[in-house]
């Protein structure tokens, strides 16, 4: 009898061990398979069972959460959704996440292991942490000035603090309200279909995800290359540039919108945006020198994240001399995001040093304790300080007595460069109006803000599309907002 009891006990123990092993297999080994199974709604239910952490601008939340009382309990809400959509993106129960909502999803949803009180605590206890908060670098008044300045036009604005790389404004229009996508209702589905079918592409982040021909704003890069290479040594010396300029190896004659560009000095050519002078300078510098300078500014870098990815701005390295001439005035295959062109202005404002732009200042736990901080970003030298000083002088001249007069701010020092970029076959596309700039307040030691604005013209106002007319006033409003605190 005792032996039978002993055998039964051993058998029960083996069954218990088998049960434990099977449970471990299901919960650990097969967990990813079950989590990824479309029929398993438990991860989604758990994900939306608590409020999501917030994205903050200037100490205030621009996001929130609404209790629906349903299985997927909490939906995302947005304050000033269209204005901040190019920063926040959306967090949708049906369509996932984008931009900051995606890049910081682990922290905002509470899934990030950094939020746990102890390592592996959540794995052992099954607990779920409250979502953390993301503090952005955005300057609320500058963001609003950019958004309202663009109004109903297609375009984008990017603003950077030159000394740190902090992104102060990031706007793209037309925009959309991300709150309309938060739930999984029929209304959210209709909104999704409408936004994706809209030819104006309101969900496209034109500030970081679209590249444009930068036109004459790229002449800042060409001027820097010419000064660094020693092709130009005196801002006021004649450049021996013909008008028109025949592109090397072709019969194509490049002309100017302005008069007086023949043999103009670099200062005069910069103030009045002489295509012939800068095309010839680019050819004189050569492909290697122009490529080195463009890449020093950040062109051809496909690894930039802020923390979401930024589209690669390009300078073609396999061009002949005629194509190089066009590339040097921001045409041919030269393309840039507004954030890249704000970085160009920031490098000049920063004395030849530039720091990579970033959008997240710090992340916090639900109670306010620090998870991580951005810290100081390493700088890289784009050009010699003496070259940057000369470019500051040139850009100041554009605003004081050139094509960028509408960006002037009383009591402040403002430097800028206008651009009207042609595109399409035979330049048939509606031009883009560009303006890049920086500003230093009367009481500031160094410039506080660098801005890039691009406005997409329309067929009806084709003749009125100009960087000085359309884009410069928007840049001025953004710079005033930052200088005003």
């Amino acid at each position: 009898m005792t032996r039978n009891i002993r055998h039964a006990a051993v058998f029960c123990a083996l069954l218990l061990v088998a049960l434990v092993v099977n449970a471990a297999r299901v919960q650990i080994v097969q967990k990813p398979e079950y989590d990824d199974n479309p029929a398993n709604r438990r991860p989604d239910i758990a994900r939306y069972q608590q409020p999501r952490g917030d994205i903050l601008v200037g100490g205030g939340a621009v996001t929130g959460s609404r209790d629906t009382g349903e299985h997927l309990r909490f939906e995302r809400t947005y304050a000033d959704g269209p204005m901040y959509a190019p920063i926040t993106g959306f967090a949708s129960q049906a369509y996932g996440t984008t931009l900051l909502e995606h890049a910081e999803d682990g922290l905002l949803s509470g899934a990030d292991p950094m939020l746990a009180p102890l390592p592996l605590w959540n794995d052992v206890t099954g607990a779920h942490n409250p979502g953390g908060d993301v503090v952005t670098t955005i300057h609320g008044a500058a963001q609003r000035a950019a958004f309202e300045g663009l109004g109903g036009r297609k375009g984008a604005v990017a603003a950077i603090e030159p000394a740190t790389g902090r992104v102060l404004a990031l706007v793209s229009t037309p925009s959309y309200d991300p709150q309309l996508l938060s739930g999984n209702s029929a209304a959210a589905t209709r909104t999704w279909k409408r936004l994706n079918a809209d030819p104006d592409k309101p969900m496209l982040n034109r500030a970081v995800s679209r590249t444009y021909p930068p036109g004459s704003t790229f002449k800042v890069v060409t001027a820097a290359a010419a000064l660094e290479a020693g092709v130009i040594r005196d801002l006021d010396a004649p450049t021996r540039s013909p008008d028109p300029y025949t592109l090397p190896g072709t019969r194509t004659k490049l002309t100017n919108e302005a008069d007086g560009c023949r043999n103009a000095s670099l200062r005069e050519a910069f103030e009045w945006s002489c295509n012939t002078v800068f095309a010839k300078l680019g050819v004189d510098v050569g492909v290697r020198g122009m490529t080195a300078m463009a890449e020093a500014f950040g062109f051809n870098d496909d690894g930039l994240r802020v923390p979401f990815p930024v589209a690669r701005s390009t300078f073609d390295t396999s061009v002949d001399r005629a194509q190089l001439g066009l590339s040097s005035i921001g045409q041919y295959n030269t393309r840039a995001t507004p954030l890249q062109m704000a970085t160009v202005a920031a490098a000049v404002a920063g004395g030849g040093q530039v720091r990579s732009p970033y959008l997240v200042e710090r992340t916090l736990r639900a109670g306010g304790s620090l998870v991580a901080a951005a810290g100081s970003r390493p700088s890289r030298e784009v050009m010699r300080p003496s070259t940057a000083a000369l470019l500051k002088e040139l850009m100041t001249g554009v605003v004081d007595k050139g094509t960028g007069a509408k960006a002037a701010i009383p009591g402040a020092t403002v430097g800028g460069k206008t651009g009207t970029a042609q595109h399409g076959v035979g330049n048939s596309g509606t031009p883009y109006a560009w303006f890049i700039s920086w500003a230093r307040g009367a009481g500031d030691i160094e410039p506080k803000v660098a801005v890039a604005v691009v406005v997409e013209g329309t067929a009806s106002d084709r003749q009125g599309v100009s960087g000085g007319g359309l884009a410069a006033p928007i840049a001025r409003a953004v710079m005033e907002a930052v200088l005003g605190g």
Side-chain angles (χ1 to χ4, degrees):
M1 186 66 178
T2 302
R3 185 174 60 183
N4 291 338
I5 293 174
R6 187 164 51 249
H7 288 170
V10 169
F11 181 68
C12 288
L14 290 174
L15 290 177
L16 182 60
V17 169
L19 183 63
V20 170
V21 169
N22 185 62
R25 179 181 64 84
V26 170
Q27 294 183 22
I28 298 175
V29 177
Q30 293 185 306
K31 181 178 184 296
E33 179 183 342
Y34 288 123
D35 284 346
D36 294 339
N37 191 315
N40 182 16
R41 298 195 69 212
R42 293 186 63 182
D44 285 341
I45 293 172
R47 176 183 176 84
Y48 297 108
Q49 199 62 28
Q50 65 178 23
R52 192 170 172 84
D54 284 321
I55 296 172
L56 279 66
V57 171
V62 297
T63 60
S65 296
R66 180 177 71 89
D67 191 346
T68 66
E70 299 176 358
H71 278 293
L72 304 185
R73 183 173 170 183
F74 286 94
E75 283 184 7
R76 195 57 148 166
T77 62
Y78 296 88
D80 291 313
M83 185 168 76
Y84 288 110
I87 297 161
T88 62
F90 61 75
S92 169
Q93 294 176 351
Y95 303 108
T97 54
T98 59
L99 302 181
L100 269 188
E101 292 277 29
H102 180 74
E104 299 291 347
D105 182 62
L107 181 113
L108 292 166
S109 67
D112 192 328
M114 292 287 290
L115 298 175
L118 294 171
L120 302 179
W121 176 264
N122 292 353
D123 293 336
V124 174
T125 65
H128 196 78
N129 303 306
D133 295 335
V134 174
V135 180
T136 71
T137 59
I138 293 296
H139 188 292
Q143 183 78 4
R144 185 169 295 279
F147 185 71
E148 293 178 352
L150 283 169
R153 303 184 189 95
K154 289 183 190 177
V157 178
I160 297 173
E161 186 176 67
T164 61
R166 297 170 71 241
V167 177
L168 303 177
L170 205 64
V171 169
S172 175
T173 55
S175 189
Y176 69 102
D177 187 352
Q179 187 166 325
L180 299 178
L181 297 172
S182 293
N184 57 6
S185 64
T189 301
R190 287 193 299 271
T191 300
W192 177 258
K193 291 179 179 178
R194 174 178 59 80
L195 291 173
N196 280 282
D198 191 329
D200 288 338
K201 300 184 182 300
M203 289 197 293
L204 172 64
N205 190 339
R206 289 169 164 84
V208 298
S209 298
R210 181 169 187 179
T211 60
Y212 299 83
S216 292
T217 59
F218 190 79
K219 291 171 184 174
V220 174
V221 179
T222 303
L227 290 165
E228 287 283 290
V231 172
I232 296 290
R233 299 184 184 276
D234 182 348
L235 298 185
D236 297 301
T239 55
R240 293 177 292 180
S241 303
D243 184 9
Y245 172 57
T246 303
L247 294 172
T250 75
R251 295 181 180 178
T252 303
K253 294 184 182 298
L254 190 64
T255 59
N256 301 289
E257 293 291 330
D259 296 326
C261 289
R262 184 187 299 274
N263 207 28
S265 68
L266 182 60
R267 189 188 304 276
E268 293 167 332
F270 198 88
E271 288 175 5
W272 297 107
S273 208
C274 296
N275 289 333
T276 52
V277 173
F278 283 92
K280 182 177 182 298
L281 285 177
V283 172
D284 291 345
V285 171
V287 174
R288 182 176 297 180
M290 283 299 302
T291 298
M293 182 53 64
E295 292 183 348
F297 274 105
F299 285 79
N300 297 337
D301 179 3
D302 56 7
L304 180 61
R305 304 181 71 88
V306 292
F308 45 79
V310 178
R312 182 176 185 259
S313 297
T314 57
F315 184 82
D316 198 331
T317 62
S318 57
V319 289
D320 60 28
R321 296 176 76 227
Q323 293 163 343
L324 177 61
L326 294 175
S327 298
S328 300
I329 59 171
Q331 299 290 165
Y332 190 57
N333 287 339
T334 305
R335 298 187 68 87
T337 63
L339 184 63
Q340 172 61 63
M341 294 314 295
T343 303
V344 169
V348 175
Q353 300 284 326
V354 70
R355 297 179 189 272
S356 294
Y358 67 99
L359 190 54
V360 175
E361 194 74 78
R362 58 187 179 276
T363 52
L364 307 172
R365 294 181 177 85
S369 61
L370 182 68
V371 176
S376 178
R377 297 297 179 95
S379 63
R380 68 177 188 273
E381 184 175 270
V382 176
M383 63 194 121
R384 295 189 301 264
S386 58
T387 299
L390 292 174
L391 287 173
K392 279 186 180 180
E393 193 176 325
L394 292 176
M395 293 182 76
T396 303
V398 169
V399 175
D400 289 346
K401 51 187 176 181
T403 55
K406 289 186 177 181
I409 301 172
T413 302
V414 179
K417 183 70 190 79
T418 56
T420 305
Q422 307 292 336
H423 65 103
V425 178
N427 292 334
S428 59
T430 305
Y432 302 129
W434 276 95
F435 192 72
I436 65 172
S437 59
W438 51 265
R440 175 172 58 84
D444 300 323
I445 298 174
E446 296 294 339
K448 290 182 66 175
V449 58
V451 183
V453 178
V454 63
V455 180
E456 300 181 24
T458 62
S460 61
D461 66 357
R462 182 183 179 91
Q463 298 304 315
V465 175
S466 72
L470 289 180
I474 300 171
R476 170 182 169 155
V478 174
M479 293 186 291
E480 284 182 317
V482 175
L483 295 182

